[in-house]
Amino acid sequence: MSITTASKSGTGDDAVSVVLEGRITAYTAAPIWKYAIDTLTRNPNRPVIVDASRLQYVDDVGIALLFDLIRRDRPVDAQVEIRELAPNLAALVRDYEPKDFAAATRGRRHIGILEQTGRATAQQIAYLKEIARFLRACVRALRQARTVNWGDVFDVATEAGANAVPIVLLMGFLMGVIIAFEVALVARQFGAVIFVVNGVGVAMLRELGALMTAIVLAGRTGAAFAAQIGTQKVNEELNAISTFGLDPVHFLVLPRLLGAILVVPLLTVLADVVGIFGGALVMATFDIGFLQFYNQLLGAVTATDFVLGIVKSAVFGLTIAAVGCHRGLTTGAGATSVGLSATSAVVTSIVLIVVIDGLFAVFTS
Amino acid sequence: MTHTQARSDNVAATADGVSPAISVRNLRMGYGARVLLDNASFDVRRSEILVILGGSGSGKSSLMKTIIGLYKPMAGDILIDGANIATAGMDEKAQTQRKLGVMYQSGALFGSLNVLENVRFPLDQFTDLALADKNLTARMLLHQVEMAYAESLMPAELSGGMLKRAGIARAMALGCDILLLDEPSAGLDPITAANLDRTILSLRRNLGFTFVVVTHELQSIFAIADRSIMLDPVSRSIIAAGKPADLRDHSADSRVRQFFNRQPDVGRQNTRS
C-alpha cells in the first residue's frame, strides 16, 4: 500500500485505475465506497491505482474510505496506491495503522441457552438474598418508626393518597357499575335481581375495592417510588446519604412504607363507598330503590367483610411501597436502568398483590 | 479561490476566514424573564476555533444551546451557513442543525446502545453505507479520541471523561464541519486533555473544521483558541473578544485579567494561611 501526494507517471500495464472525484461525505460515500471495494475484490492479483487528484472535499467518512482502500491485505505485486492525495488528507489517513483495525468489530456476544439458564438462576438466587436483606432492613427501620421524619411521610401520603383520590373514585365507581350491570342482566332471567346487591356489596368490600385501589397505586405510586429512588441512586444521592452516616432505608424507604400503609386503606374505603353507590345507581334502573338496596346490603355484608378488605389493603400498600423502593435501591447505572426499575416495580407489585389476595381468600374462607 | 470554494473544499487548503460559519447578531437570550445575555454580536469564522469563556453561571452553555437552536432567543439573529436558526421553521431548523456536530457536557450518549453503536447512530440514521463501512468509520473516530478499547462498553460503564470523548466522536460522525463542544476537556486527565486539544487542532488544520468550544480550562484555551469571547453574568454582555494571550496581557478590563491570571476576588483570600 502507498499514498503519494505528487503526480506519478506510468501505472504499469496491468494496473487497474480507480478515480475518486468531487465530494466524498457521509451522504455521498455509499456508492463510491461500494464501487471502489468491488474493484479491489474483482482484481485480487492486479495493482490498483487510486487517482485522488480530482477530490474536492472529504469528511471523516471519506477518510475512512481512503483508509479502507489501503489497509487491505493484498499480494506484494497487487498493492493499492493512492496518488495525488492532498497532503493534509494524506496526513489524516496516515494517522491510522491497519493493524489497529484488523480485528472484526465485536458485536454483542451471543449467549447460549445453557449460559442464559445459569445466569438467570444465579440472578434469582442473588435477588432472593437481596430481598431477604432488604426485608431485614425494613423491619429494622420499622422498629425505629418513631424517629421517622413525619414531614416526609405526609408528603408521600399527599402524593400517593390525596392526589390519587380522583382516579381511585373513578375506578371504584366504574367497578361497582360494571359488576352490578353484568350480574343483574343474568340474575334478571332467574328473577333474582335483588341478590345482585349481595354480590356487589361482598365483591366491593372483600375484594374489588382493595384490589383495584392497589393495582392503581402499583402503577402510579410503585413506579414513582422506583423511579425517584432509582434516579437518586444514579445521581449518587444514595452514596451521599450513606456517607453522612444515614441509613438510606430509614431515610428514604421508611417514610414511603408508612405513607403507603396509611393511605391505601383510606383510598380503599373511598373505592368501597363509590363502588357500592355505582351499584345502587345501576340497581335503580332494575327497579331496586335506594332504600331497598340499603336494607338488602345490611343483610348481605358484615363488618368482617369490610375489615378484611381494609387489612388486605394495608398489606397491599406495604407490598407496593416495599417493591417500589427495593427496585429503586437496586437500580443499575443510567437512564435505561431507571426505566427498567419502574417497569419491574409495577409488574412485581401486581403479581404479588394477586398472589397475596389469593392467600387471603384461601385462609379467610 | 472564491469564498464558496473556500467554504466547501478542504483538499487544497483551509478557509481564508472571510465568510463566517456562524454569525450572531444582537442576540438577547435567557430563561423566562431572566436575561442572561443582551445585545450580543459576534462571528465564528470558517476554520476558526472560537472559545466561549466566562465564570460558572455566565450563560456559556446556554449560549451554545441557543446557537444550535435548542433554546429560542428572545431577540436577534443566528445565521448558520446563511440560514437564520432563530426564525427558521421546523424543517429548515432540522436541516441546519444537521450541519452541526454537538458534544454536550455529559456526553449525552444513548444508554441503550454501546459506544460503537452510539458513534454509528448518525450514520445509521442518515446514510446508506454498508454496516462494515459504518463500523470502520465509527472505529476510526473512536481511535481519534482514544476510545477504541471501549467500543463494546455501555455508557453506564464509562467514566465522565470517556463519555465526553465518545460524545465528540459521535458529533463528528456525519462529517459536520462545524463542531460545538461544551466543556470537552473538563474532567479529563492532563494527557488525554492535551491529546484532545491536538485532535481539535489536527481536524481544523487538515479538514478545515470550525470549532466553537465552551470551556474554562485555561491550558486548553491557550492551546487551541484562535479567538475567545468572554461573557459576564453581571453586565449580561460580551466583555472581551480577542486572542487569549492578548486578553490576558493587555485587557483593560480587570475581570478579564483576573480570569486569565486565575486570581481570587479581593477580600476572599484565606487569611488563616
Side-chain angles (χ1 to χ4, degrees), chain A residues 254-265:
Chain A
L254 188 57
R256 288 173 167 83
L257 287 180
L258 292 175
I261 293 171
L262 290 174
V263 298
V264 179

Side-chain angles (χ1 to χ4, degrees), chain B residues 169-220:
Chain B
R170 189 180 63 180
M172 296 193 300
L174 269 186
C176 309
D177 58 357
I178 305 174
L179 290 172
L180 297 99
L181 314 179
D182 194 357
E183 310 249 6
S185 47
L188 298 187
D189 66 86
I191 297 169
T192 310
N195 287 344
L196 189 60
D197 289 345
R198 191 183 57 190
T199 302
I200 291 171
L201 289 169
S202 164
L203 287 169
R204 191 274 298 272
R205 184 177 60 247
N206 292 314
L207 288 178
F209 281 9
T210 306
F211 285 90
V212 177
V213 182
V214 171
T215 185
H216 38 213
E217 300 282 318
L218 285 173
Q219 279 187 314
S220 187

Side-chain angles (χ1 to χ4, degrees), chain A residues 119-141:
Chain A
R119 280 185 180 201
T121 309
Q123 264 176 6
Q124 289 308 314
I125 291 169
Y127 177 66
L128 289 174
K129 283 182 186 168
E130 177 58 42
I131 286 278
R133 260 199 305 275
F134 176 71
L135 289 176
R136 274 202 302 276
C138 286
V139 170
R140 199 169 55 237

Side-chain angles (χ1 to χ4, degrees), chain A residues 252-328:
Chain A
L252 295 173
V253 177
L254 188 57
R256 288 173 167 83
L257 287 180
L258 292 175
I261 293 171
L262 290 174
V263 298
V264 179
L266 292 175
L267 290 171
T268 300
V269 172
L270 292 178
D272 288 348
V273 171
V274 295
I276 290 171
F277 175 67
L281 282 181
V282 171
M283 295 315 294
T285 65
F286 285 87
D287 298 328
I288 307 286
F290 285 117
L291 194 60
Q292 197 181 357
F293 184 97
Y294 175 70
N295 287 328
Q296 183 69 21
L297 187 68
L298 285 185
V301 299
T302 63
T304 311
D305 296 325
F306 174 73
V307 172
L308 181 67
I310 298 303
V311 170
K312 265 204 298 197
S313 68
V315 176
F316 291 160
L318 179 68
T319 306
I320 292 165
V323 169
C325 293
H326 176 256
R327 292 299 193 196

Side-chain angles (χ1 to χ4, degrees), chain A residues 33 37 40 59 68 72 140 160 168-169 176 180 182 189 232 260 277 322 332:
Chain A
W33 201 326
I37 296 303
L40 262 62
D59 63 7
D68 195 25
R72 288 167 184 266
R140 199 169 55 237
V168 167
L169 288 179
E182 294 290 345
Q189 296 171 24
Q232 286 181 296
F277 175 67

